[in-house]
Amino acid sequence: MYQEMKKCPNCGKLSKMKLHIDAAGTPSFKCESCGAAHEDRSWYRYVSSEEADEIIENREPLGLFVLDTGSVVVGIDNRTGDAWTEDFHDLCECLKWLVDFDKED
């Protein structure tokens, strides 16, 4: 599961933020310190077809990427430079794959 340390906008404390994707595909995290929920899309980036091709070919930049072709949503997991890709019918399923929801913490 995708996790990172973030400073909570409410309490200002640094804590581990676990992402949650709701049924509409909205990613959010809940602060471990104060419990406040915050929408967060900063952990992935939308790319064009040309940018996606460059990432897949050159394995750079590192990160998580989404390409919406209009007919499919392509997830690109290039955190390790391997440029893993997967096609999905909707953004929600793509984001869940990118954050590894099927894996244990």
XYZ file of all heavy atoms in Angstrom:
835
model
N 0.831 -1.178 0.000
C 0.000 0.000 0.000
C 0.873 1.238 0.000
O 1.862 1.311 0.701
C -0.911 -0.003 1.232
C -1.727 1.261 1.352
S -2.918 1.242 2.678
C -4.013 -0.010 2.103
N 0.479 2.217 -0.789
C 1.224 3.467 -0.885
C 1.062 4.255 0.410
O -0.045 4.537 0.844
C 0.719 4.289 -2.065
C 1.479 5.578 -2.260
C 2.647 5.585 -2.997
C 1.036 6.760 -1.702
C 3.356 6.762 -3.189
C 1.732 7.935 -1.881
C 2.890 7.930 -2.627
O 3.589 9.084 -2.807
N 2.180 4.567 1.058
C 2.181 5.363 2.276
C 3.354 6.321 2.221
O 4.376 6.027 1.638
C 2.350 4.481 3.510
C 1.232 3.513 3.752
C 1.469 2.720 5.013
O 1.806 3.262 6.047
N 1.300 1.428 4.917
N 3.174 7.458 2.834
C 4.279 8.393 2.953
C 4.054 9.240 4.188
O 2.969 9.271 4.742
C 4.437 9.259 1.714
C 3.315 10.214 1.454
C 3.555 11.068 0.222
O 3.686 10.516 -0.877
O 3.607 12.294 0.379
N 5.101 9.915 4.600
C 5.000 10.830 5.720
C 4.557 12.186 5.181
O 5.090 12.659 4.190
C 6.345 10.960 6.435
C 6.857 9.655 7.025
S 5.771 8.969 8.282
C 6.096 10.073 9.642
N 3.544 12.754 5.827
C 3.036 14.060 5.420
C 2.737 14.894 6.646
O 2.438 14.370 7.708
C 1.740 13.920 4.618
C 1.940 13.452 3.226
C 0.710 13.737 2.399
C 1.012 13.397 0.969
N 0.599 14.389 0.051
N 2.794 16.193 6.437
C 2.419 17.128 7.490
C 0.926 17.407 7.337
O 0.469 17.832 6.275
C 3.222 18.421 7.364
C 3.001 19.385 8.490
C 3.928 20.575 8.343
C 3.751 21.518 9.507
N 4.670 22.666 9.410
N 0.170 17.183 8.379
C -1.275 17.375 8.350
C -1.595 18.875 8.287
O -1.087 19.652 9.107
C -1.904 16.753 9.586
S -3.687 17.063 9.718
N -2.444 19.278 7.338
C -2.830 20.689 7.260
C -3.616 21.168 8.484
O -3.630 22.355 8.777
C -3.717 20.754 6.011
C -3.423 19.533 5.240
C -2.981 18.501 6.225
N -4.262 20.242 9.204
C -5.060 20.629 10.373
C -4.226 20.795 11.634
O -4.251 21.840 12.262
C -6.170 19.613 10.642
C -7.344 19.792 9.728
O -7.195 20.251 8.601
N -8.514 19.427 10.196
N -3.488 19.740 11.999
C -2.770 19.764 13.276
C -1.290 20.114 13.122
O -0.623 20.428 14.108
C -2.927 18.445 14.018
S -2.063 17.043 13.257
N -0.770 20.022 11.892
C 0.621 20.363 11.651
C 1.617 19.280 12.015
O 2.819 19.456 11.850
N 1.126 18.138 12.492
C 2.028 17.057 12.887
C 2.376 16.180 11.687
O 1.574 15.981 10.784
C 1.393 16.209 13.984
C 1.240 16.972 15.277
C 0.746 16.068 16.371
C 0.639 16.881 17.660
N 0.137 16.088 18.752
N 3.584 15.654 11.707
C 4.048 14.737 10.678
C 3.640 13.326 11.087
O 3.926 12.887 12.199
C 5.576 14.834 10.553
C 6.212 14.157 9.359
C 5.762 14.818 8.058
C 7.723 14.222 9.466
N 2.936 12.645 10.199
C 2.535 11.274 10.497
C 2.409 10.477 9.210
O 2.357 11.033 8.113
C 1.224 11.228 11.286
O 0.159 11.736 10.531
N 2.357 9.161 9.348
C 2.223 8.269 8.212
C 0.800 8.363 7.683
O -0.163 8.217 8.419
C 2.522 6.833 8.633
C 2.631 5.884 7.471
C 2.928 4.447 7.828
C 3.429 4.173 9.189
N 3.618 2.765 9.476
N 0.680 8.650 6.409
C -0.624 8.795 5.794
C -0.895 7.602 4.885
O -0.163 7.353 3.940
C -0.693 10.084 4.971
C -0.361 11.319 5.752
S -1.535 11.601 7.085
C -0.876 13.100 7.778
N -1.961 6.880 5.180
C -2.379 5.760 4.355
C -3.485 6.240 3.434
O -4.492 6.764 3.891
C -2.893 4.619 5.228
C -1.851 4.004 6.115
C -2.452 2.890 6.939
C -1.445 2.329 7.912
N -2.018 1.278 8.748
N -3.304 6.055 2.151
C -4.292 6.498 1.176
C -5.504 5.591 1.156
O -5.404 4.374 1.315
C -3.675 6.523 -0.217
C -2.848 7.744 -0.538
C -2.083 7.534 -1.832
C -3.699 8.984 -0.628
N -6.650 6.194 0.920
C -7.910 5.489 0.728
C -8.512 6.008 -0.567
O -8.491 7.214 -0.818
C -8.856 5.768 1.901
C -10.252 5.308 1.654
N -10.609 3.983 1.681
C -11.367 6.001 1.341
C -11.898 3.889 1.401
N -12.380 5.092 1.194
N -9.032 5.128 -1.396
C -9.699 5.524 -2.632
C -11.178 5.195 -2.466
O -11.533 4.040 -2.264
C -9.151 4.757 -3.862
C -7.635 4.794 -3.932
C -9.799 5.271 -5.139
C -7.026 6.116 -4.233
N -12.048 6.220 -2.542
C -13.478 5.950 -2.381
C -14.070 5.448 -3.699
O -13.369 5.352 -4.708
C -14.230 7.165 -1.836
C -14.326 8.329 -2.801
O -14.061 8.155 -4.008
O -14.679 9.434 -2.348
N -15.354 5.122 -3.703
C -16.011 4.538 -4.872
C -15.992 5.467 -6.079
O -16.054 5.014 -7.223
C -17.447 4.168 -4.529
N -15.886 6.772 -5.856
C -15.840 7.738 -6.955
C -14.418 7.933 -7.481
O -14.206 8.675 -8.430
C -16.407 9.070 -6.493
N -13.434 7.287 -6.850
C -12.044 7.413 -7.289
C -11.310 8.573 -6.653
O -10.249 8.963 -7.131
N -11.854 9.118 -5.556
C -11.207 10.242 -4.877
C -10.217 9.723 -3.848
O -10.608 9.044 -2.895
C -12.248 11.132 -4.175
O -13.213 11.553 -5.138
C -11.597 12.338 -3.536
N -8.932 10.024 -4.018
C -7.938 9.580 -3.037
C -7.889 10.546 -1.853
O -7.943 11.763 -2.012
C -6.627 9.611 -3.823
C -6.843 10.593 -4.918
C -8.311 10.642 -5.192
N -7.810 9.976 -0.659
C -7.709 10.806 0.541
C -6.887 10.064 1.584
O -6.677 8.859 1.494
C -9.086 11.141 1.098
O -9.778 9.972 1.469
N -6.410 10.818 2.584
C -5.716 10.199 3.696
C -6.290 10.735 4.985
O -6.888 11.798 5.030
C -4.202 10.429 3.631
C -3.784 11.870 3.784
C -3.650 12.453 5.042
C -3.500 12.642 2.680
C -3.256 13.770 5.184
C -3.098 13.967 2.805
C -2.981 14.536 4.062
N -6.128 9.952 6.034
C -6.586 10.338 7.359
C -5.361 10.502 8.244
O -4.521 9.616 8.324
C -7.517 9.267 7.923
C -8.203 9.648 9.200
C -9.219 8.595 9.586
C -9.967 9.005 10.824
N -10.959 7.997 11.201
N -5.245 11.650 8.885
C -4.114 11.921 9.765
C -4.172 10.993 10.967
O -5.219 10.856 11.617
C -4.155 13.382 10.210
S -2.877 13.810 11.411
N -3.057 10.340 11.271
C -3.004 9.439 12.431
C -3.057 10.208 13.748
O -3.441 9.662 14.763
C -1.737 8.597 12.387
C -1.725 7.581 11.276
C -0.469 6.739 11.275
O 0.617 7.239 11.641
O -0.573 5.564 10.908
N -2.672 11.480 13.729
C -2.637 12.268 14.960
C -3.997 12.848 15.332
O -4.489 12.649 16.432
C -1.629 13.412 14.843
O -0.338 12.899 14.679
N -4.624 13.594 14.403
C -5.883 14.269 14.741
C -7.113 13.627 14.113
O -8.229 13.976 14.458
C -5.809 15.753 14.363
S -5.845 16.073 12.577
N -6.909 12.711 13.151
C -8.033 12.019 12.529
C -8.685 12.757 11.380
O -9.659 12.274 10.809
N -8.196 13.945 11.038
C -8.783 14.711 9.936
C -8.528 14.028 8.602
O -7.447 13.487 8.373
C -8.209 16.125 9.917
N -9.528 14.052 7.717
C -9.395 13.461 6.383
C -9.099 14.571 5.372
O -9.668 15.663 5.454
C -10.668 12.739 6.006
N -8.199 14.266 4.420
C -7.792 15.243 3.414
C -7.710 14.585 2.046
O -7.082 13.535 1.906
C -6.413 15.824 3.744
C -6.331 16.423 5.099
N -6.831 17.660 5.392
C -5.825 15.929 6.262
C -6.631 17.928 6.673
N -6.024 16.892 7.221
N -8.329 15.212 1.041
C -8.191 14.735 -0.329
C -6.750 14.978 -0.761
O -6.171 16.016 -0.449
C -9.143 15.493 -1.245
C -9.153 14.968 -2.655
C -10.194 15.647 -3.530
O -11.275 16.010 -3.034
O -9.895 15.807 -4.729
N -6.159 14.010 -1.482
C -4.759 14.152 -1.892
C -4.522 13.479 -3.226
O -4.611 12.260 -3.345
C -3.844 13.550 -0.834
C -2.365 13.746 -1.151
O -2.043 14.528 -2.058
O -1.539 13.111 -0.485
N -4.217 14.263 -4.219
C -3.890 13.748 -5.551
C -2.432 14.014 -5.909
O -2.026 13.844 -7.047
C -4.809 14.380 -6.593
C -6.273 14.029 -6.385
C -7.157 14.695 -7.424
N -8.557 14.508 -7.134
C -9.264 13.430 -7.476
N -8.691 12.455 -8.137
N -10.534 13.332 -7.164
N -1.635 14.410 -4.940
C -0.248 14.801 -5.205
C 0.690 13.620 -5.450
O 1.807 13.813 -5.906
C 0.294 15.623 -4.036
O 0.382 14.835 -2.861
N 0.265 12.419 -5.193
C 1.133 11.251 -5.283
C 1.181 10.628 -6.672
O 1.950 9.715 -6.928
C 0.704 10.201 -4.253
C -0.748 9.845 -4.350
C -1.795 10.511 -3.775
C -1.315 8.756 -5.072
N -2.981 9.899 -4.114
C -2.706 8.813 -4.902
C -0.774 7.745 -5.852
C -3.570 7.892 -5.479
C -1.635 6.817 -6.432
C -3.018 6.904 -6.229
N 0.362 11.113 -7.610
C 0.427 10.636 -8.995
C 0.265 11.830 -9.919
O -0.132 12.915 -9.507
C -0.644 9.581 -9.288
C -2.064 10.099 -9.316
C -2.660 10.473 -10.509
C -2.811 10.214 -8.146
C -3.955 10.944 -10.545
C -4.112 10.687 -8.173
C -4.674 11.049 -9.370
O -5.961 11.524 -9.415
N 0.590 11.607 -11.204
C 0.507 12.691 -12.173
C -0.139 12.184 -13.449
O 0.175 11.094 -13.937
C 1.913 13.212 -12.478
C 1.931 14.414 -13.401
C 3.308 15.055 -13.477
N 4.337 14.193 -13.989
C 4.820 14.282 -15.238
N 4.364 15.174 -16.081
N 5.784 13.462 -15.620
N -1.073 12.973 -13.997
C -1.638 12.678 -15.312
C -0.587 12.993 -16.367
O 0.136 13.983 -16.254
C -2.876 13.537 -15.587
C -4.137 12.989 -14.973
C -4.623 13.502 -13.792
C -4.835 11.957 -15.589
C -5.791 13.008 -13.230
C -5.999 11.448 -15.037
C -6.464 11.989 -13.856
O -7.616 11.483 -13.305
N -0.515 12.129 -17.396
C 0.429 12.338 -18.490
C -0.283 12.194 -19.825
O -1.346 11.572 -19.918
C 1.624 11.353 -18.422
C 2.493 11.618 -17.204
C 1.152 9.904 -18.451
N 0.316 12.767 -20.849
C -0.183 12.617 -22.217
C 0.327 11.284 -22.779
O 1.207 10.643 -22.191
C 0.322 13.766 -23.081
O 1.731 13.680 -23.225
N -0.179 10.909 -23.940
C 0.291 9.680 -24.612
C 1.783 9.755 -24.898
O 2.506 8.771 -24.713
C -0.460 9.459 -25.928
O -1.806 9.200 -25.689
N 2.235 10.930 -25.321
C 3.658 11.105 -25.622
C 4.507 10.964 -24.356
O 5.563 10.320 -24.381
C 3.910 12.473 -26.274
C 3.286 12.643 -27.638
C 1.787 12.968 -27.607
O 1.250 13.353 -26.540
O 1.145 12.814 -28.656
N 4.052 11.571 -23.262
C 4.794 11.456 -22.000
C 4.810 10.012 -21.511
O 5.836 9.533 -21.018
C 4.172 12.358 -20.931
C 4.371 13.834 -21.170
C 3.579 14.686 -20.204
O 2.357 14.478 -20.082
O 4.195 15.555 -19.565
N 3.687 9.318 -21.642
C 3.622 7.914 -21.230
C 4.612 7.066 -22.029
O 5.324 6.231 -21.465
C 2.203 7.377 -21.400
N 4.662 7.297 -23.335
C 5.613 6.561 -24.180
C 7.056 6.813 -23.741
O 7.867 5.885 -23.678
C 5.450 6.954 -25.654
C 4.160 6.443 -26.260
O 3.540 5.527 -25.674
O 3.769 6.971 -27.320
N 7.377 8.067 -23.411
C 8.729 8.425 -22.942
C 9.060 7.724 -21.623
O 10.174 7.221 -21.447
C 8.849 9.943 -22.767
C 8.999 10.696 -24.053
C 10.368 10.505 -24.686
O 11.388 10.547 -23.966
O 10.411 10.297 -25.911
N 8.098 7.708 -20.693
C 8.320 7.060 -19.391
C 8.573 5.570 -19.586
O 9.498 5.002 -19.010
C 7.121 7.294 -18.457
C 7.028 8.778 -18.075
C 7.229 6.419 -17.201
C 5.708 9.175 -17.450
N 7.765 4.947 -20.425
C 7.896 3.504 -20.659
C 9.215 3.192 -21.370
O 9.910 2.236 -21.027
C 6.683 2.980 -21.452
C 5.425 3.088 -20.570
C 6.907 1.552 -21.915
C 4.116 2.947 -21.323
N 9.573 3.998 -22.331
C 10.800 3.756 -23.097
C 12.067 4.058 -22.291
O 13.020 3.290 -22.300
C 10.806 4.603 -24.369
C 11.977 4.319 -25.278
C 11.898 5.100 -26.575
O 10.785 5.295 -27.084
O 12.968 5.495 -27.065
N 12.083 5.187 -21.593
C 13.298 5.641 -20.909
C 13.343 5.327 -19.419
O 14.362 5.551 -18.769
C 13.475 7.149 -21.109
C 13.613 7.502 -22.563
O 14.302 6.834 -23.311
N 12.921 8.550 -22.983
N 12.203 4.865 -18.868
C 12.114 4.538 -17.433
C 12.350 5.753 -16.537
O 12.769 5.630 -15.396
C 13.066 3.414 -17.045
C 12.981 2.155 -17.896
C 11.634 1.475 -17.693
N 11.669 0.090 -18.093
C 10.871 -0.418 -19.023
N 10.027 0.332 -19.646
N 10.940 -1.691 -19.309
N 12.074 6.940 -17.064
C 12.206 8.185 -16.306
C 11.093 9.127 -16.708
O 10.678 9.110 -17.875
C 13.559 8.849 -16.592
C 14.725 8.104 -16.023
C 16.041 8.820 -16.309
O 16.043 9.777 -17.115
O 17.052 8.427 -15.731
N 10.616 9.943 -15.808
C 10.980 10.083 -14.395
C 10.352 8.976 -13.555
O 9.427 8.296 -13.996
C 10.407 11.451 -14.016
C 9.215 11.602 -14.901
C 9.595 10.928 -16.206
N 10.871 8.811 -12.364
C 10.299 7.850 -11.429
C 9.004 8.417 -10.867
O 8.843 9.630 -10.743
C 11.277 7.556 -10.291
C 12.598 6.904 -10.680
C 13.451 6.693 -9.435
C 12.391 5.592 -11.421
N 8.080 7.535 -10.527
C 6.827 7.967 -9.924
C 5.652 7.145 -10.392
O 5.817 6.080 -10.996
N 4.462 7.661 -10.105
C 3.207 7.019 -10.484
C 2.475 7.935 -11.452
O 2.357 9.142 -11.204
C 2.349 6.766 -9.244
C 2.969 5.838 -8.206
C 2.161 5.861 -6.918
C 3.070 4.425 -8.749
N 1.949 7.345 -12.543
C 1.373 8.140 -13.613
C 0.070 7.527 -14.097
O -0.124 6.314 -14.028
C 2.357 8.242 -14.786
C 3.701 8.742 -14.363
C 4.710 7.863 -13.994
C 3.952 10.105 -14.292
C 5.943 8.322 -13.578
C 5.188 10.581 -13.882
C 6.179 9.690 -13.516
N -0.803 8.396 -14.622
C -2.096 7.980 -15.170
C -2.253 8.591 -16.553
O -2.041 9.792 -16.744
C -3.262 8.438 -14.263
C -4.599 8.137 -14.919
C -3.173 7.783 -12.899
N -2.635 7.757 -17.507
C -2.957 8.196 -18.855
C -4.415 7.828 -19.114
O -4.771 6.652 -19.060
C -2.056 7.505 -19.884
C -2.475 7.649 -21.349
C -2.412 9.103 -21.797
C -1.622 6.755 -22.235
N -5.258 8.823 -19.378
C -6.668 8.575 -19.700
C -6.824 8.748 -21.204
O -6.742 9.863 -21.718
C -7.566 9.551 -18.950
C -9.039 9.198 -19.078
O -9.399 8.423 -19.997
O -9.830 9.703 -18.266
N -7.028 7.637 -21.906
C -7.118 7.677 -23.367
C -8.532 7.995 -23.861
O -8.734 8.183 -25.041
C -6.688 6.335 -23.983
O -7.659 5.342 -23.650
C -5.306 5.917 -23.517
N -9.484 7.986 -22.947
C -10.880 8.153 -23.337
C -11.603 6.827 -23.410
O -12.800 6.749 -23.153
N -10.886 5.772 -23.741
C -11.496 4.444 -23.767
C -10.963 3.551 -22.645
O -11.681 2.684 -22.165
C -11.277 3.770 -25.120
O -9.905 3.679 -25.419
N -9.725 3.765 -22.249
C -9.136 3.049 -21.111
C -8.311 4.027 -20.281
O -7.884 5.071 -20.778
C -8.237 1.854 -21.529
C -9.012 0.780 -22.237
C -7.059 2.314 -22.345
N -8.101 3.649 -19.029
C -7.224 4.414 -18.149
C -6.005 3.539 -17.907
O -6.129 2.397 -17.470
C -7.918 4.756 -16.812
C -6.982 5.530 -15.906
C -9.194 5.549 -17.063
N -4.829 4.064 -18.237
C -3.585 3.305 -18.111
C -2.833 3.792 -16.875
O -2.586 4.984 -16.718
C -2.692 3.486 -19.358
C -1.403 2.677 -19.223
C -3.450 3.112 -20.619
N -2.498 2.856 -15.999
C -1.668 3.162 -14.854
C -0.226 2.805 -15.178
O 0.038 1.754 -15.786
N 0.698 3.667 -14.799
C 2.131 3.407 -14.999
C 2.802 3.526 -13.640
O 2.831 4.604 -13.050
C 2.774 4.395 -15.993
C 2.029 4.383 -17.326
C 4.262 4.061 -16.174
C 2.451 5.505 -18.266
N 3.316 2.412 -13.148
C 4.040 2.397 -11.879
C 5.529 2.362 -12.208
O 6.080 1.327 -12.541
C 3.645 1.178 -11.054
C 4.356 1.106 -9.708
O 5.335 1.862 -9.500
O 3.939 0.298 -8.867
N 6.154 3.519 -12.123
C 7.578 3.618 -12.417
C 8.351 4.046 -11.164
O 9.353 4.741 -11.252
C 7.830 4.593 -13.571
C 9.217 4.424 -14.145
O 9.722 3.302 -14.246
N 9.855 5.520 -14.518
N 7.891 3.615 -10.002
C 8.591 3.958 -8.758
C 9.990 3.369 -8.723
O 10.907 3.969 -8.174
C 7.804 3.454 -7.539
C 6.544 4.240 -7.271
C 5.789 3.664 -6.113
N 5.095 2.466 -6.558
C 4.176 1.832 -5.860
N 3.849 2.258 -4.659
N 3.573 0.771 -6.336
N 10.162 2.197 -9.317
C 11.454 1.507 -9.262
C 12.207 1.548 -10.590
O 13.247 0.919 -10.718
C 11.237 0.027 -8.871
O 10.395 -0.589 -9.854
C 10.622 -0.085 -7.488
N 11.648 2.259 -11.578
C 12.292 2.319 -12.888
C 11.954 1.150 -13.790
O 12.596 0.949 -14.819
N 10.918 0.378 -13.425
C 10.506 -0.774 -14.229
C 9.333 -0.470 -15.156
O 8.992 -1.280 -16.009
C 10.145 -1.959 -13.336
C 11.357 -2.499 -12.603
O 12.397 -2.708 -13.245
O 11.276 -2.689 -11.365
N 8.676 0.668 -14.952
C 7.552 1.123 -15.787
C 6.492 0.043 -15.997
O 6.115 -0.270 -17.121
C 8.055 1.680 -17.114
N 5.990 -0.523 -14.906
C 4.897 -1.487 -14.981
C 3.649 -0.751 -15.469
O 3.347 0.346 -15.012
C 4.618 -2.116 -13.627
C 5.771 -2.894 -13.083
C 6.646 -2.499 -12.119
C 6.174 -4.193 -13.476
N 7.578 -3.472 -11.897
C 7.310 -4.536 -12.709
C 5.688 -5.113 -14.407
C 7.963 -5.753 -12.841
C 6.346 -6.329 -14.530
C 7.461 -6.629 -13.759
N 2.898 -1.349 -16.388
C 1.678 -0.729 -16.892
C 0.507 -1.693 -16.800
O 0.686 -2.918 -16.840
C 1.830 -0.277 -18.362
O 2.070 -1.421 -19.173
C 2.954 0.726 -18.516
N -0.675 -1.112 -16.678
C -1.900 -1.909 -16.613
C -3.036 -1.042 -17.145
O -3.085 0.159 -16.883
C -2.170 -2.321 -15.168
C -3.250 -3.352 -14.992
C -2.798 -4.764 -15.329
O -1.602 -5.072 -15.167
O -3.656 -5.552 -15.761
N -3.949 -1.646 -17.898
C -5.119 -0.945 -18.432
C -6.331 -1.203 -17.551
O -6.530 -2.337 -17.082
C -5.440 -1.428 -19.851
C -4.370 -1.064 -20.859
O -3.458 -0.294 -20.521
O -4.461 -1.559 -22.000
N -7.161 -0.167 -17.376
C -8.348 -0.264 -16.534
C -9.531 0.391 -17.226
O -9.360 1.244 -18.097
C -8.101 0.428 -15.180
C -6.985 -0.203 -14.405
C -5.692 0.280 -14.536
C -7.214 -1.287 -13.587
C -4.650 -0.318 -13.841
C -6.178 -1.890 -12.899
C -4.897 -1.405 -13.023
N -10.731 0.011 -16.791
C -11.956 0.591 -17.334
C -12.285 1.932 -16.706
O -13.013 2.724 -17.283
C -13.134 -0.369 -17.160
C -12.972 -1.636 -17.932
N -13.020 -1.680 -19.308
C -12.734 -2.894 -17.533
C -12.826 -2.919 -19.711
N -12.644 -3.679 -18.659
N -11.759 2.182 -15.485
C -12.059 3.456 -14.830
C -10.897 3.900 -13.936
O -10.018 3.114 -13.595
C -13.364 3.392 -14.037
C -13.362 2.361 -12.929
O -12.417 2.360 -12.108
O -14.300 1.559 -12.855
N -10.921 5.180 -13.579
C -9.867 5.781 -12.771
C -9.773 5.147 -11.386
O -8.673 4.927 -10.877
C -10.104 7.288 -12.646
C -9.096 8.047 -11.792
C -7.691 7.964 -12.383
C -9.519 9.495 -11.617
N -10.902 4.829 -10.785
C -10.912 4.245 -9.443
C -10.074 2.972 -9.383
O -9.225 2.814 -8.505
C -12.347 3.974 -9.009
S -12.510 3.368 -7.318
N -10.303 2.050 -10.301
C -9.539 0.792 -10.321
C -8.061 1.041 -10.599
O -7.192 0.390 -10.035
C -10.134 -0.180 -11.341
C -11.496 -0.696 -10.949
C -11.500 -1.372 -9.590
O -10.625 -2.226 -9.321
O -12.375 -1.041 -8.777
N -7.774 1.994 -11.465
C -6.389 2.330 -11.778
C -5.666 2.843 -10.537
O -4.558 2.400 -10.229
C -6.341 3.376 -12.887
S -4.677 3.904 -13.333
N -6.288 3.777 -9.813
C -5.650 4.331 -8.615
C -5.460 3.264 -7.546
O -4.431 3.234 -6.869
C -6.476 5.498 -8.070
C -6.548 6.734 -8.967
C -7.410 7.808 -8.308
C -5.169 7.274 -9.303
N -6.430 2.371 -7.403
C -6.281 1.277 -6.430
C -5.085 0.405 -6.788
O -4.334 -0.020 -5.912
C -7.556 0.444 -6.357
C -8.676 1.139 -5.626
C -9.908 0.269 -5.557
C -11.020 0.961 -4.800
N -12.223 0.120 -4.703
N -4.893 0.139 -8.069
C -3.735 -0.650 -8.502
C -2.442 0.104 -8.206
O -1.478 -0.481 -7.716
C -3.852 -0.961 -9.993
C -2.694 -1.720 -10.541
C -2.425 -3.057 -10.389
C -1.625 -1.197 -11.339
N -1.264 -3.384 -11.040
C -0.751 -2.261 -11.634
C -1.330 0.066 -11.839
C 0.398 -2.111 -12.398
C -0.188 0.231 -12.608
C 0.662 -0.852 -12.882
N -2.421 1.393 -8.480
C -1.209 2.176 -8.248
C -0.802 2.210 -6.777
O 0.373 2.270 -6.471
C -1.376 3.614 -8.767
C -1.333 3.779 -10.279
C -1.667 5.218 -10.653
C 0.017 3.383 -10.837
N -1.752 2.185 -5.868
C -1.412 2.222 -4.448
C -1.302 0.827 -3.833
O -1.126 0.682 -2.628
C -2.380 3.089 -3.611
C -2.342 4.514 -4.064
C -3.778 2.546 -3.624
N -1.415 -0.209 -4.653
C -1.238 -1.599 -4.184
C -2.234 -1.986 -3.103
O -1.876 -2.570 -2.089
C 0.184 -1.830 -3.666
C 1.246 -1.607 -4.707
O 0.975 -1.893 -5.885
O 2.333 -1.141 -4.351
N -3.520 -1.697 -3.307
C -4.515 -2.023 -2.296
C -4.648 -3.518 -2.048
O -5.115 -3.918 -0.987
C -5.879 -1.464 -2.688
C -6.127 -0.113 -2.108
C -6.365 0.960 -2.933
C -6.117 0.096 -0.744
C -6.575 2.217 -2.403
C -6.328 1.343 -0.213
C -6.560 2.404 -1.035
N -4.253 -4.337 -2.989
C -4.392 -5.786 -2.807
C -3.278 -6.378 -1.948
O -3.317 -7.531 -1.601
C -4.431 -6.498 -4.160
C -5.671 -6.144 -4.946
O -6.689 -5.805 -4.325
O -5.626 -6.188 -6.188
N -2.287 -5.558 -1.599
C -1.172 -6.047 -0.803
C -1.352 -5.665 0.647
O -1.988 -4.680 0.984
C 0.150 -5.466 -1.319
C 0.476 -5.935 -2.714
C 1.781 -5.354 -3.172
C 2.051 -5.785 -4.617
N 3.272 -5.179 -5.124
N -0.786 -6.452 1.548
C -0.838 -6.162 2.975
C 0.117 -5.017 3.303
O 1.081 -4.788 2.609
C -0.415 -7.400 3.787
C -1.380 -8.558 3.657
C -2.725 -8.277 4.296
O -2.750 -7.642 5.365
O -3.754 -8.688 3.713
N -0.178 -4.281 4.383
C 0.713 -3.203 4.858
C 2.051 -3.756 5.271
O 2.211 -4.789 5.775
C 0.094 -2.482 6.036
C -1.094 -1.635 5.618
O -1.279 -1.400 4.407
O -1.820 -1.215 6.501
